[in-house]
Amino acid sequence: MDDTTEREAVFSDDKPKARNILVPIDGSVPSEESLKWALANIIRKETDTVLLAHVRPKTKNEQDKLASHQLLINKCHQMQELGISVRGVALAGDAKKVLLEEITNSKPEMVVIGSRGLGAVQAAFLGSVSQHLIQHTDVPIVLTRPTKEK
């Protein structure tokens, strides 16, 4: 497979604001909690545009692409209902690489990303997308942890 990144703008409400906040989403619980945390603690609808990014594996499977786009469209509509300026972008490829490229291209003021809650051994073996971003960009990265079940 070639090394190019696939990027599709899926949604834009055409109301850009002064500050862009990138929030990668994947439909997982940590990703949902990350977005909720960002909405409660960082994002201000008066001044911010949320850039939602979904990364899928690079394949020829059209169903994966459609699922990615649908996830973004649904989340973007939810943001709009809250009065938040939002854009959605679907990316295909290695998450570490394509998110770093997206940060370089979109120039967000901040990235809010959820932790999958991997243990130290798993994170070292599998690699951590958030750790890679922290090490390779100067943009502030806020890493949210999943809440513990009570």
Side-chain angles (χ1 to χ4, degrees):
M1 202 157 292
D2 65 40
D3 200 32
T4 61
T5 299
E6 291 179 27
R7 182 186 192 280
E8 301 108 14
V10 174
F11 189 95
S12 178
D13 65 8
D14 295 324
K15 299 177 195 168
K17 303 276 177 107
R19 194 169 74 149
N20 293 307
I21 311 293
L22 174 64
V23 183
I25 61 170
D26 63 9
S28 68
V29 171
S31 141
E32 291 290 323
E33 289 181 356
S34 172
L35 182 56
K36 286 179 188 173
W37 187 91
L39 288 168
N41 296 287
I42 301 290
I43 297 164
R44 297 183 306 252
K45 62 182 171 183
E46 300 81 18
T47 59
D48 297 341
T49 295
V50 176
L51 174 57
L52 297 176
H54 179 259
V55 180
R56 68 182 184 278
K58 194 169 188 179
T59 68
K60 300 287 184 191
N61 185 337
E62 197 64 22
Q63 287 302 108
D64 289 345
K65 182 177 183 176
L66 292 174
S68 174
H69 288 203
Q70 195 59 54
L71 173 68
L72 284 164
I73 289 166
N74 291 343
K75 285 296 170 195
C76 287
H77 283 297
Q78 289 174 7
M79 297 294 99
Q80 270 192 322
E81 288 172 7
L82 296 172
I84 296 168
S85 175
V86 63
R87 293 180 309 165
V89 61
L91 305 166
D94 175 67
K96 293 174 187 177
K97 178 181 179 269
V98 298
L99 284 173
L100 200 54
E101 287 176 8
E102 187 59 33
I103 290 168
T104 300
N105 294 333
S106 64
K107 298 176 179 35
E109 279 68 29
M110 179 183 307
V111 177
V112 179
I113 189 168
S115 168
R116 292 185 309 192
L118 297 178
V121 173
Q122 281 181 310
F125 180 70
L126 297 173
S128 164
V129 172
S130 54
Q131 189 63 36
H132 182 80
L133 297 179
I134 289 166
Q135 292 175 341
H136 292 92
T137 185
D138 292 333
V139 173
I141 308 287
V142 176
L143 178 62
T144 63
R145 294 192 172 277
T147 57
K148 299 210 183 220
E149 301 268 335
K150 293 182 181 172

Short mmCIF file of all heavy atoms in Angstrom, two decimals, residues 31-84:
data_model
loop_
_atom_site.label_atom_id
_atom_site.label_comp_id
_atom_site.label_asym_id
_atom_site.label_seq_id
_atom_site.Cartn_x
_atom_site.Cartn_y
_atom_site.Cartn_z
N SER A 31 -12.88 7.85 23.75
CA SER A 31 -13.03 8.96 22.81
C SER A 31 -14.26 9.79 23.14
O SER A 31 -14.24 11.02 23.09
CB SER A 31 -13.06 8.39 21.39
OG SER A 31 -13.95 9.02 20.56
N GLU A 32 -15.36 9.13 23.49
CA GLU A 32 -16.59 9.83 23.90
C GLU A 32 -16.33 10.67 25.15
O GLU A 32 -16.77 11.82 25.24
CB GLU A 32 -17.73 8.84 24.15
CG GLU A 32 -18.24 8.15 22.91
CD GLU A 32 -18.99 9.09 21.99
OE1 GLU A 32 -19.71 9.98 22.48
OE2 GLU A 32 -18.85 8.93 20.77
N GLU A 33 -15.65 10.07 26.12
CA GLU A 33 -15.35 10.79 27.37
C GLU A 33 -14.42 11.97 27.12
O GLU A 33 -14.56 13.02 27.74
CB GLU A 33 -14.75 9.84 28.39
CG GLU A 33 -15.77 8.86 28.93
CD GLU A 33 -15.21 7.92 29.99
OE1 GLU A 33 -14.00 7.95 30.27
OE2 GLU A 33 -16.01 7.14 30.54
N SER A 34 -13.50 11.80 26.19
CA SER A 34 -12.59 12.88 25.84
C SER A 34 -13.34 14.07 25.27
O SER A 34 -13.10 15.22 25.65
CB SER A 34 -11.56 12.35 24.83
OG SER A 34 -10.77 13.38 24.33
N LEU A 35 -14.27 13.80 24.37
CA LEU A 35 -15.07 14.88 23.78
C LEU A 35 -15.94 15.55 24.85
O LEU A 35 -16.02 16.78 24.90
CB LEU A 35 -15.93 14.32 22.63
CG LEU A 35 -16.78 15.34 21.88
CD1 LEU A 35 -15.94 16.49 21.33
CD2 LEU A 35 -17.55 14.64 20.77
N LYS A 36 -16.55 14.76 25.71
CA LYS A 36 -17.37 15.33 26.80
C LYS A 36 -16.51 16.20 27.71
O LYS A 36 -16.93 17.28 28.13
CB LYS A 36 -18.04 14.22 27.61
CG LYS A 36 -19.19 13.57 26.90
CD LYS A 36 -19.79 12.46 27.75
CE LYS A 36 -20.83 11.68 26.97
NZ LYS A 36 -21.30 10.50 27.69
N TRP A 37 -15.30 15.72 28.01
CA TRP A 37 -14.41 16.50 28.88
C TRP A 37 -14.04 17.82 28.21
O TRP A 37 -14.06 18.87 28.85
CB TRP A 37 -13.15 15.69 29.20
CG TRP A 37 -12.29 16.37 30.21
CD1 TRP A 37 -12.32 16.23 31.56
CD2 TRP A 37 -11.26 17.34 29.93
NE1 TRP A 37 -11.39 17.05 32.15
CE2 TRP A 37 -10.73 17.74 31.17
CE3 TRP A 37 -10.76 17.90 28.78
CZ2 TRP A 37 -9.71 18.68 31.27
CZ3 TRP A 37 -9.75 18.84 28.88
CH2 TRP A 37 -9.24 19.22 30.12
N ALA A 38 -13.73 17.75 26.93
CA ALA A 38 -13.37 18.97 26.19
C ALA A 38 -14.52 19.96 26.18
O ALA A 38 -14.32 21.17 26.38
CB ALA A 38 -12.94 18.62 24.77
N LEU A 39 -15.74 19.46 25.99
CA LEU A 39 -16.91 20.33 25.99
C LEU A 39 -17.13 20.98 27.35
O LEU A 39 -17.49 22.16 27.43
CB LEU A 39 -18.16 19.55 25.58
CG LEU A 39 -18.24 19.15 24.12
CD1 LEU A 39 -19.35 18.13 23.89
CD2 LEU A 39 -18.42 20.36 23.23
N ALA A 40 -16.88 20.24 28.41
CA ALA A 40 -17.11 20.76 29.76
C ALA A 40 -15.99 21.69 30.24
O ALA A 40 -16.24 22.59 31.04
CB ALA A 40 -17.27 19.60 30.74
N ASN A 41 -14.77 21.46 29.75
CA ASN A 41 -13.62 22.15 30.34
C ASN A 41 -12.82 23.08 29.43
O ASN A 41 -12.09 23.94 29.93
CB ASN A 41 -12.66 21.11 30.92
CG ASN A 41 -13.27 20.34 32.05
OD1 ASN A 41 -13.45 20.86 33.14
ND2 ASN A 41 -13.65 19.10 31.77
N ILE A 42 -12.91 22.89 28.13
CA ILE A 42 -12.04 23.64 27.22
C ILE A 42 -12.81 24.47 26.21
O ILE A 42 -12.54 25.65 26.02
CB ILE A 42 -11.10 22.67 26.44
CG1 ILE A 42 -10.23 21.84 27.38
CG2 ILE A 42 -10.27 23.42 25.42
CD1 ILE A 42 -9.15 22.61 28.08
N ILE A 43 -13.75 23.84 25.54
CA ILE A 43 -14.41 24.44 24.38
C ILE A 43 -15.41 25.51 24.81
O ILE A 43 -16.25 25.30 25.68
CB ILE A 43 -15.10 23.35 23.55
CG1 ILE A 43 -14.04 22.40 23.00
CG2 ILE A 43 -15.94 23.97 22.43
CD1 ILE A 43 -14.57 21.09 22.49
N ARG A 44 -15.26 26.68 24.16
CA ARG A 44 -16.18 27.80 24.37
C ARG A 44 -16.87 28.08 23.03
O ARG A 44 -16.20 28.39 22.04
CB ARG A 44 -15.43 29.04 24.84
CG ARG A 44 -14.74 28.84 26.19
CD ARG A 44 -14.07 30.12 26.66
NE ARG A 44 -13.15 30.66 25.68
CZ ARG A 44 -11.82 30.63 25.79
NH1 ARG A 44 -11.25 30.08 26.84
NH2 ARG A 44 -11.06 31.16 24.86
N LYS A 45 -18.19 27.96 23.01
CA LYS A 45 -18.88 28.10 21.73
C LYS A 45 -18.77 29.49 21.14
O LYS A 45 -18.91 29.67 19.94
CB LYS A 45 -20.33 27.64 21.83
CG LYS A 45 -21.21 28.39 22.76
CD LYS A 45 -22.59 27.76 22.75
CE LYS A 45 -23.48 28.32 23.82
NZ LYS A 45 -24.77 27.65 23.84
N GLU A 46 -18.45 30.48 21.95
CA GLU A 46 -18.31 31.84 21.45
C GLU A 46 -17.03 32.03 20.65
O GLU A 46 -16.98 32.88 19.77
CB GLU A 46 -18.32 32.86 22.61
CG GLU A 46 -19.57 32.85 23.45
CD GLU A 46 -19.60 31.74 24.49
OE1 GLU A 46 -18.54 31.16 24.82
OE2 GLU A 46 -20.70 31.43 24.96
N THR A 47 -15.98 31.27 20.97
CA THR A 47 -14.67 31.54 20.37
C THR A 47 -14.02 30.35 19.66
O THR A 47 -13.01 30.52 18.99
CB THR A 47 -13.68 32.01 21.45
OG1 THR A 47 -13.56 30.99 22.45
CG2 THR A 47 -14.11 33.31 22.09
N ASP A 48 -14.58 29.14 19.81
CA ASP A 48 -13.88 27.94 19.35
C ASP A 48 -14.57 27.22 18.20
O ASP A 48 -15.80 27.19 18.13
CB ASP A 48 -13.72 26.95 20.50
CG ASP A 48 -12.87 27.50 21.63
OD1 ASP A 48 -12.13 28.46 21.41
OD2 ASP A 48 -12.97 26.96 22.75
N THR A 49 -13.76 26.63 17.36
CA THR A 49 -14.21 25.67 16.36
C THR A 49 -13.62 24.33 16.74
O THR A 49 -12.41 24.23 16.99
CB THR A 49 -13.75 26.05 14.94
OG1 THR A 49 -14.36 27.29 14.56
CG2 THR A 49 -14.13 24.98 13.93
N VAL A 50 -14.47 23.31 16.80
CA VAL A 50 -14.01 21.96 17.09
C VAL A 50 -13.75 21.25 15.77
O VAL A 50 -14.61 21.25 14.88
CB VAL A 50 -15.05 21.19 17.91
CG1 VAL A 50 -14.61 19.75 18.13
CG2 VAL A 50 -15.29 21.87 19.24
N LEU A 51 -12.56 20.70 15.64
CA LEU A 51 -12.23 19.88 14.49
C LEU A 51 -12.23 18.43 14.94
O LEU A 51 -11.36 18.00 15.69
CB LEU A 51 -10.85 20.25 13.92
CG LEU A 51 -10.33 19.37 12.78
CD1 LEU A 51 -11.29 19.33 11.61
CD2 LEU A 51 -8.95 19.82 12.34
N LEU A 52 -13.27 17.68 14.53
CA LEU A 52 -13.36 16.27 14.86
C LEU A 52 -12.65 15.49 13.77
O LEU A 52 -12.89 15.72 12.58
CB LEU A 52 -14.83 15.83 14.95
CG LEU A 52 -15.66 16.49 16.05
CD1 LEU A 52 -17.11 16.02 15.95
CD2 LEU A 52 -15.09 16.20 17.42
N ALA A 53 -11.77 14.58 14.16
CA ALA A 53 -11.02 13.77 13.19
C ALA A 53 -11.21 12.30 13.51
O ALA A 53 -11.08 11.90 14.66
CB ALA A 53 -9.54 14.14 13.23
N HIS A 54 -11.53 11.53 12.50
CA HIS A 54 -11.63 10.08 12.66
C HIS A 54 -10.59 9.44 11.75
O HIS A 54 -10.50 9.79 10.57
CB HIS A 54 -13.02 9.57 12.29
CG HIS A 54 -13.12 8.09 12.43
ND1 HIS A 54 -13.06 7.23 11.36
CD2 HIS A 54 -13.25 7.30 13.54
CE1 HIS A 54 -13.15 5.98 11.78
NE2 HIS A 54 -13.26 6.01 13.11
N VAL A 55 -9.81 8.52 12.30
CA VAL A 55 -8.80 7.80 11.52
C VAL A 55 -9.25 6.36 11.37
O VAL A 55 -9.57 5.69 12.34
CB VAL A 55 -7.42 7.84 12.22
CG1 VAL A 55 -6.38 7.10 11.38
CG2 VAL A 55 -6.98 9.28 12.48
N ARG A 56 -9.24 5.90 10.14
CA ARG A 56 -9.56 4.50 9.85
C ARG A 56 -8.35 3.87 9.16
O ARG A 56 -7.53 4.58 8.58
CB ARG A 56 -10.81 4.37 8.98
CG ARG A 56 -10.61 4.90 7.58
CD ARG A 56 -11.88 4.81 6.74
NE ARG A 56 -11.64 5.22 5.38
CZ ARG A 56 -11.61 6.46 4.95
NH1 ARG A 56 -11.82 7.46 5.80
NH2 ARG A 56 -11.38 6.74 3.68
N PRO A 57 -8.24 2.56 9.21
CA PRO A 57 -7.16 1.90 8.48
C PRO A 57 -7.30 2.20 6.99
O PRO A 57 -8.40 2.38 6.47
CB PRO A 57 -7.37 0.42 8.75
CG PRO A 57 -8.24 0.36 9.96
CD PRO A 57 -9.07 1.60 9.95
N LYS A 58 -6.18 2.24 6.32
CA LYS A 58 -6.19 2.51 4.89
C LYS A 58 -6.50 1.21 4.15
O LYS A 58 -5.65 0.33 4.06
CB LYS A 58 -4.85 3.09 4.46
CG LYS A 58 -4.88 3.69 3.10
CD LYS A 58 -3.60 4.46 2.88
CE LYS A 58 -3.70 5.24 1.60
NZ LYS A 58 -2.51 6.01 1.38
N THR A 59 -7.73 1.10 3.67
CA THR A 59 -8.15 -0.08 2.92
C THR A 59 -9.01 0.38 1.76
O THR A 59 -9.38 1.56 1.66
CB THR A 59 -9.00 -1.04 3.79
OG1 THR A 59 -10.25 -0.41 4.08
CG2 THR A 59 -8.29 -1.43 5.07
N LYS A 60 -9.35 -0.54 0.92
CA LYS A 60 -10.24 -0.24 -0.21
C LYS A 60 -11.70 -0.50 0.17
O LYS A 60 -12.60 -0.36 -0.64
CB LYS A 60 -9.88 -1.10 -1.42
CG LYS A 60 -8.48 -0.89 -1.93
CD LYS A 60 -8.36 0.43 -2.63
CE LYS A 60 -6.96 0.58 -3.22
NZ LYS A 60 -6.69 1.89 -3.68
N ASN A 61 -11.95 -0.89 1.44
CA ASN A 61 -13.29 -1.24 1.90
C ASN A 61 -14.15 0.02 1.99
O ASN A 61 -13.94 0.88 2.86
CB ASN A 61 -13.20 -1.95 3.25
CG ASN A 61 -14.53 -2.43 3.74
OD1 ASN A 61 -15.59 -1.94 3.36
ND2 ASN A 61 -14.49 -3.43 4.62
N GLU A 62 -15.12 0.12 1.11
CA GLU A 62 -16.00 1.29 1.07
C GLU A 62 -16.86 1.39 2.33
O GLU A 62 -17.20 2.49 2.76
CB GLU A 62 -16.88 1.21 -0.18
CG GLU A 62 -17.53 2.51 -0.55
CD GLU A 62 -16.57 3.62 -0.96
OE1 GLU A 62 -15.43 3.35 -1.36
OE2 GLU A 62 -16.98 4.80 -0.85
N GLN A 63 -17.19 0.26 2.95
CA GLN A 63 -17.99 0.26 4.18
C GLN A 63 -17.25 0.98 5.31
O GLN A 63 -17.86 1.70 6.10
CB GLN A 63 -18.36 -1.16 4.60
CG GLN A 63 -19.41 -1.80 3.72
CD GLN A 63 -20.70 -1.00 3.66
OE1 GLN A 63 -21.00 -0.38 2.65
NE2 GLN A 63 -21.44 -0.98 4.74
N ASP A 64 -15.94 0.76 5.41
CA ASP A 64 -15.15 1.45 6.44
C ASP A 64 -15.19 2.96 6.24
O ASP A 64 -15.33 3.73 7.19
CB ASP A 64 -13.68 0.97 6.42
CG ASP A 64 -13.51 -0.44 6.92
OD1 ASP A 64 -14.44 -0.98 7.56
OD2 ASP A 64 -12.43 -1.02 6.67
N LYS A 65 -15.07 3.37 4.99
CA LYS A 65 -15.11 4.80 4.68
C LYS A 65 -16.48 5.39 5.03
O LYS A 65 -16.57 6.44 5.66
CB LYS A 65 -14.81 4.99 3.19
CG LYS A 65 -14.76 6.43 2.74
CD LYS A 65 -14.38 6.48 1.27
CE LYS A 65 -14.25 7.89 0.77
NZ LYS A 65 -13.80 7.95 -0.62
N LEU A 66 -17.55 4.69 4.64
CA LEU A 66 -18.89 5.18 4.94
C LEU A 66 -19.16 5.24 6.44
O LEU A 66 -19.77 6.20 6.93
CB LEU A 66 -19.93 4.29 4.25
CG LEU A 66 -19.96 4.36 2.72
CD1 LEU A 66 -20.92 3.32 2.16
CD2 LEU A 66 -20.31 5.75 2.23
N ALA A 67 -18.68 4.24 7.19
CA ALA A 67 -18.86 4.23 8.64
C ALA A 67 -18.11 5.40 9.28
O ALA A 67 -18.61 6.05 10.20
CB ALA A 67 -18.39 2.90 9.23
N SER A 68 -16.91 5.68 8.78
CA SER A 68 -16.12 6.80 9.28
C SER A 68 -16.86 8.11 9.04
O SER A 68 -16.98 8.95 9.94
CB SER A 68 -14.76 6.81 8.58
OG SER A 68 -14.02 7.95 8.93
N HIS A 69 -17.36 8.29 7.84
CA HIS A 69 -18.08 9.51 7.50
C HIS A 69 -19.35 9.66 8.33
O HIS A 69 -19.65 10.75 8.81
CB HIS A 69 -18.42 9.52 6.01
CG HIS A 69 -17.22 9.74 5.14
ND1 HIS A 69 -17.31 10.23 3.86
CD2 HIS A 69 -15.90 9.51 5.34
CE1 HIS A 69 -16.10 10.31 3.33
NE2 HIS A 69 -15.24 9.87 4.22
N GLN A 70 -20.07 8.56 8.53
CA GLN A 70 -21.31 8.62 9.30
C GLN A 70 -21.04 8.98 10.77
O GLN A 70 -21.77 9.78 11.35
CB GLN A 70 -22.07 7.30 9.21
CG GLN A 70 -23.50 7.41 9.68
CD GLN A 70 -24.30 8.44 8.89
OE1 GLN A 70 -24.37 8.38 7.67
NE2 GLN A 70 -24.89 9.41 9.58
N LEU A 71 -19.99 8.41 11.35
CA LEU A 71 -19.61 8.75 12.72
C LEU A 71 -19.35 10.26 12.83
O LEU A 71 -19.85 10.93 13.74
CB LEU A 71 -18.37 7.97 13.15
CG LEU A 71 -17.77 8.35 14.50
CD1 LEU A 71 -18.69 7.97 15.64
CD2 LEU A 71 -16.41 7.69 14.68
N LEU A 72 -18.59 10.79 11.89
CA LEU A 72 -18.27 12.22 11.91
C LEU A 72 -19.52 13.08 11.71
O LEU A 72 -19.71 14.06 12.43
CB LEU A 72 -17.23 12.54 10.84
CG LEU A 72 -15.81 12.12 11.18
CD1 LEU A 72 -14.94 12.11 9.95
CD2 LEU A 72 -15.23 13.03 12.25
N ILE A 73 -20.35 12.71 10.76
CA ILE A 73 -21.56 13.50 10.50
C ILE A 73 -22.45 13.52 11.75
O ILE A 73 -22.95 14.58 12.15
CB ILE A 73 -22.31 12.95 9.27
CG1 ILE A 73 -21.51 13.27 8.00
CG2 ILE A 73 -23.73 13.51 9.18
CD1 ILE A 73 -21.97 12.50 6.77
N ASN A 74 -22.64 12.36 12.38
CA ASN A 74 -23.46 12.30 13.59
C ASN A 74 -22.90 13.18 14.70
O ASN A 74 -23.64 13.94 15.35
CB ASN A 74 -23.61 10.86 14.08
CG ASN A 74 -24.43 10.00 13.15
OD1 ASN A 74 -25.17 10.51 12.30
ND2 ASN A 74 -24.29 8.70 13.29
N LYS A 75 -21.60 13.09 14.94
CA LYS A 75 -20.98 13.89 16.01
C LYS A 75 -21.01 15.38 15.67
O LYS A 75 -21.23 16.22 16.55
CB LYS A 75 -19.53 13.44 16.26
CG LYS A 75 -19.43 12.15 17.00
CD LYS A 75 -20.01 12.31 18.39
CE LYS A 75 -20.13 10.98 19.06
NZ LYS A 75 -21.00 11.05 20.24
N CYS A 76 -20.80 15.71 14.40
CA CYS A 76 -20.84 17.12 14.00
C CYS A 76 -22.23 17.70 14.20
O CYS A 76 -22.37 18.83 14.67
CB CYS A 76 -20.38 17.27 12.55
SG CYS A 76 -18.60 17.05 12.31
N HIS A 77 -23.25 16.93 13.88
CA HIS A 77 -24.63 17.40 14.11
C HIS A 77 -24.88 17.61 15.61
O HIS A 77 -25.54 18.58 16.00
CB HIS A 77 -25.65 16.44 13.51
CG HIS A 77 -25.77 16.56 12.02
ND1 HIS A 77 -26.21 17.71 11.40
CD2 HIS A 77 -25.50 15.68 11.04
CE1 HIS A 77 -26.21 17.54 10.10
NE2 HIS A 77 -25.78 16.31 9.84
N GLN A 78 -24.36 16.71 16.45
CA GLN A 78 -24.51 16.88 17.89
C GLN A 78 -23.84 18.18 18.36
O GLN A 78 -24.39 18.90 19.20
CB GLN A 78 -23.92 15.69 18.64
CG GLN A 78 -24.72 14.43 18.51
CD GLN A 78 -24.02 13.23 19.16
OE1 GLN A 78 -22.99 13.36 19.82
NE2 GLN A 78 -24.60 12.05 18.97
N MET A 79 -22.67 18.49 17.81
CA MET A 79 -21.97 19.73 18.18
C MET A 79 -22.78 20.94 17.74
O MET A 79 -22.93 21.91 18.49
CB MET A 79 -20.58 19.79 17.54
CG MET A 79 -19.60 18.72 17.97
SD MET A 79 -19.12 18.82 19.70
CE MET A 79 -20.20 17.59 20.38
N GLN A 80 -23.33 20.88 16.52
CA GLN A 80 -24.14 21.98 16.02
C GLN A 80 -25.36 22.22 16.90
O GLN A 80 -25.72 23.37 17.16
CB GLN A 80 -24.62 21.69 14.59
CG GLN A 80 -23.68 22.16 13.53
CD GLN A 80 -24.34 22.11 12.17
OE1 GLN A 80 -25.10 21.20 11.86
NE2 GLN A 80 -24.04 23.10 11.36
N GLU A 81 -25.98 21.14 17.36
CA GLU A 81 -27.16 21.28 18.23
C GLU A 81 -26.80 21.99 19.54
O GLU A 81 -27.66 22.61 20.15
CB GLU A 81 -27.77 19.91 18.52
CG GLU A 81 -28.48 19.31 17.33
CD GLU A 81 -28.92 17.87 17.55
OE1 GLU A 81 -28.81 17.36 18.69
OE2 GLU A 81 -29.39 17.26 16.57
N LEU A 82 -25.54 21.89 19.95
CA LEU A 82 -25.07 22.58 21.15
C LEU A 82 -24.61 24.01 20.84
O LEU A 82 -24.16 24.73 21.73
CB LEU A 82 -23.91 21.80 21.78
CG LEU A 82 -24.25 20.41 22.30
CD1 LEU A 82 -22.98 19.67 22.72
CD2 LEU A 82 -25.23 20.49 23.47
N GLY A 83 -24.70 24.41 19.57
CA GLY A 83 -24.30 25.76 19.17
C GLY A 83 -22.80 25.91 18.97
O GLY A 83 -22.28 27.02 19.02
N ILE A 84 -22.12 24.81 18.73
CA ILE A 84 -20.66 24.83 18.59
C ILE A 84 -20.27 24.75 17.12
O ILE A 84 -20.78 23.92 16.37
CB ILE A 84 -20.04 23.65 19.38
CG1 ILE A 84 -20.33 23.85 20.86
CG2 ILE A 84 -18.55 23.53 19.12
CD1 ILE A 84 -20.03 22.65 21.72
#
